[in-house]
Amino acid sequence: MSDNQKQGSESLFADTTLAASDPELVEFFGNFVDDEVRYEPGANHPDMDERTRWMAILAALLGCQGHEAFALMTPKALDAGLTPVQLKEIVYQATAYLGFGRVLPFLGIVNHLLADRGVNLPLERQSTTTPETRAAAGEQSQIDIFGAHMRGFAQTGPEETRHINKWLADNCFGDYYTRGGLDVRQREMITLCFLAAQGGCEPQLTAHAGANLRVGNEQRFLIAVVSQCMPYLGYPRTLNAIRCISEAAAKAA
């Protein structure tokens, strides 16, 4: 084992008992994640700095409901430069794509961790809308991300399900995407990770892969993002995500 590999396996699981109970897994998984995946050229990109890499990994762990792994990795993300506001925004936005029931345990993990680090809660407000402006702001966000065809989308569709389109505009985009803390490229990237990680959302995943391309996250970057998340998602969902990215890129070409 190289010195880098040894440091990788040790650093990844330094705060667990796994090194004693499962040393073989710690060795080969830790080496794979912290050495091979981390530095693989195909899994990297000029836009893939350490903070971005950790954003993607944490979003993927939220999506796949990896509570213990999320608790293990979040301190490393903060040590790598992720801010408390960015961390909270990742968790908040997950609510729109995973549901409050699945996100609540992660919010507890984050709050305990930040409190242990002496961070005063609540953090500074990041909302930029009011109850009166959220619908219009959300629609504008949809237009900016997906294109002009989203204008008036909230009022379209079958009458019995039209309220969902309205909620997408005023809640999903008006309440979440308009917040501070993360820019639109970061928000679309973590959305891609939420969708890739939970599986069964391929139509939405393809749509948001296209949205990522529109806001400036190029295909190679998206493949790098998914590749960095692969150890936490497994190969099937990773390959599904890459297929969706490729389909979106082909459509955009």
Side-chain angles (χ1 to χ4, degrees):
M1 185 191 306
S2 70
D3 289 342
N4 283 344
Q5 288 176 319
K6 184 176 181 181
Q7 291 172 2
S9 61
E10 289 177 349
S11 65
L12 193 63
F13 297 102
D15 300 325
T16 74
T17 61
L18 289 175
S21 61
D22 300 276
E24 289 183 277
L25 178 64
V26 165
E27 180 179 337
F28 67 73
F29 182 79
N31 293 342
F32 178 62
V33 171
D34 229 7
D35 187 59
E36 189 170 354
V37 173
R38 187 173 184 177
Y39 298 109
E40 162 61 42
N44 277 280
H45 185 274
D47 293 339
M48 178 68 73
D49 58 18
E50 272 297 284
R51 187 181 303 189
T52 300
R53 188 174 78 91
W54 280 112
M55 283 183 185
I57 290 170
L58 294 185
L61 290 172
L62 273 152
C64 72
Q65 295 294 281
H67 302 94
E68 293 85 356
F70 183 89
L72 177 64
M73 300 301 169
T74 301
K76 303 179 191 306
L78 291 170
D79 291 343
L82 193 71
T83 69
V85 168
Q86 290 172 326
L87 175 58
K88 281 270 193 170
E89 288 304 313
I90 292 169
V91 177
Y92 283 12
Q93 186 165 317
T95 307
Y97 293 95
L98 307 177
F100 183 72
R102 290 196 285 173
V103 169
L104 184 58
F106 293 92
L107 191 58
I109 292 169
V110 168
N111 286 339
H112 283 300
L113 174 61
L114 293 180
D116 287 346
R117 290 191 169 213
V119 177
N120 292 324
L121 299 176
L123 301 177
E124 183 179 354
R125 286 179 59 86
Q126 298 299 317
S127 294
T128 63
T129 62
T130 67
E132 294 74 31
T133 64
R134 62 197 277 268
E139 180 181 74
Q140 187 58 54
S141 182
Q142 288 179 305
I143 293 168
D144 293 342
I145 294 169
F146 291 99
H149 66 280
M150 297 303 295
R151 193 178 306 279
F153 175 76
Q155 290 79 45
T156 64
E159 183 178 355
E160 62 271 19
T161 58
R162 196 172 300 160
H163 59 284
I164 302 295
N165 290 349
K166 174 183 176 295
W167 291 347
L168 280 167
D170 63 25
N171 175 242
C172 184
F173 288 89
D175 289 338
Y176 295 100
Y177 272 78
T178 59
R179 292 175 60 81
L182 299 174
D183 63 32
V184 68
R185 290 182 62 190
Q186 292 167 331
R187 289 191 180 278
E188 269 305 310
M189 180 196 72
I190 63 172
T191 294
L192 183 90
C193 295
F194 297 148
L195 296 171
Q198 62 182 311
C201 304
E202 281 71 25
Q204 292 83 6
L205 178 54
T206 303
H208 277 280
N212 268 275
L213 296 171
R214 280 186 55 87
V215 300
N217 291 332
E218 67 175 21
Q219 183 179 8
R220 283 185 57 248
F221 171 73
L222 297 180
I223 291 173
V225 165
V226 173
S227 298
Q228 289 292 334
C229 295
M230 194 287 299
Y232 309 97
L233 304 184
Y235 287 100
R237 288 184 180 179
T238 300
L239 292 170
N240 284 347
I242 290 174
R243 176 175 55 81
C244 291
I245 292 167
S246 298
E247 289 178 0
K251 185 176 180 180

